Amino acid sequence: MATEGEKIVLGSGYLYCTEFTGTVPENNVIETEENLLGLIQGGASLEYKPKFYEAKDDMGKVTKVIITEEEATLKSGIMTWNGKTLGKLCSTARVTEAAGVRTVKIGGVGNDNGKKYVLHFVHEDPVDGDIRVTIVGQNQAGFSLAFKKDKETVIDAEFKAQPQDNEGTLIKYEEKIPLAG
């Protein structure tokens, strides 16, 4: 049983994506139909992995531990997508549209656009309150497209977080909490 203030989080959510221009936009700016990366399947997962260094004397009497590295990754399966989505998942993709045809060219390291994206996951919960997770990063896992006769094609994206502000923030986690009163 959850104690007061704790939540039982069930369900998936929505994944929004917009180009990072130096600051993370407000939630209402990001959470638009235009910025929806695609409806997701299999949910989303956020991983945070710190690395530590421990210094200690030979006798084990004195120790000091410091954090030396951090890594954060947001993973999600994108079920609804198109060529524009591929443009956000691949830094060497070039997307053009002409005469009713969208063409995506992928590859050539010289075509790396260097873009970073704001990835914003929203888990809606009308009972316990919404949860939002925001990172700035790039898909660094590539992608695989499997076209099968009896299964939808889902792109598994893995966005590695990069600092989103001058404090080095990798993850911004927001949750609605009851107002005291």
Side-chain angles (χ1 to χ4, degrees):
M1 173 174 230
T3 63
E4 186 175 333
E6 292 182 340
K7 302 177 180 200
I8 298 174
V9 180
L10 297 172
S12 187
Y14 298 94
L15 184 58
Y16 298 92
C17 179
T18 187
E19 189 174 341
F20 181 64
T21 58
T23 58
V24 175
E26 295 296 321
N27 293 341
N28 63 337
V29 174
I30 299 173
E31 295 170 19
T32 65
E33 188 72 26
E34 179 182 292
N35 291 331
L36 191 63
L37 186 58
L39 296 178
I40 60 178
Q41 184 184 71
S45 66
L46 177 68
E47 294 181 20
Y48 171 77
K49 297 181 199 173
K51 289 187 180 178
F52 294 91
Y53 174 76
E54 181 178 4
K56 62 181 172 179
D57 72 298
D58 291 344
M59 303 305 288
K61 292 183 178 184
V62 203
T63 64
K64 182 174 184 175
V65 178
I66 61 169
I67 189 166
T68 58
E69 290 182 42
E70 297 175 292
E71 184 177 298
T73 308
L74 179 66
K75 298 178 185 179
S76 184
I78 304 163
M79 187 176 82
T80 60
W81 56 275
N82 60 33
K84 289 181 181 180
T85 312
L86 295 177
K88 293 176 181 177
L89 296 178
C90 180
S91 64
T92 63
R94 286 99 54 218
V95 181
T96 58
E97 295 179 9
V101 176
R102 181 179 296 128
T103 302
V104 183
K105 292 182 178 182
I106 297 170
V109 294
N111 295 309
D112 185 350
N113 61 25
K115 291 181 180 178
K116 297 181 204 174
Y117 292 94
V118 175
L119 287 303
H120 183 75
F121 177 78
V122 179
H123 167 78
E124 295 178 345
D125 188 331
V127 175
D128 289 331
D130 299 346
I131 295 174
R132 289 173 169 78
V133 174
T134 307
I135 70 164
V136 169
Q138 299 167 307
N139 177 30
Q140 294 188 1
F143 60 86
S144 176
L145 301 177
F147 299 94
K148 299 181 181 182
K149 70 176 184 174
D150 59 350
K151 181 101 171 95
E152 58 278 1
T153 301
V154 176
I155 301 173
D156 291 323
E158 185 174 309
F159 294 92
K160 186 172 181 180
Q162 298 172 10
Q164 57 186 270
D165 57 25
N166 60 6
E167 296 177 336
T169 304
L170 296 179
I171 302 166
K172 180 178 167 186
Y173 175 89
E174 295 178 307
E175 62 182 351
K176 282 263 188 168
I177 54 175
L179 297 174

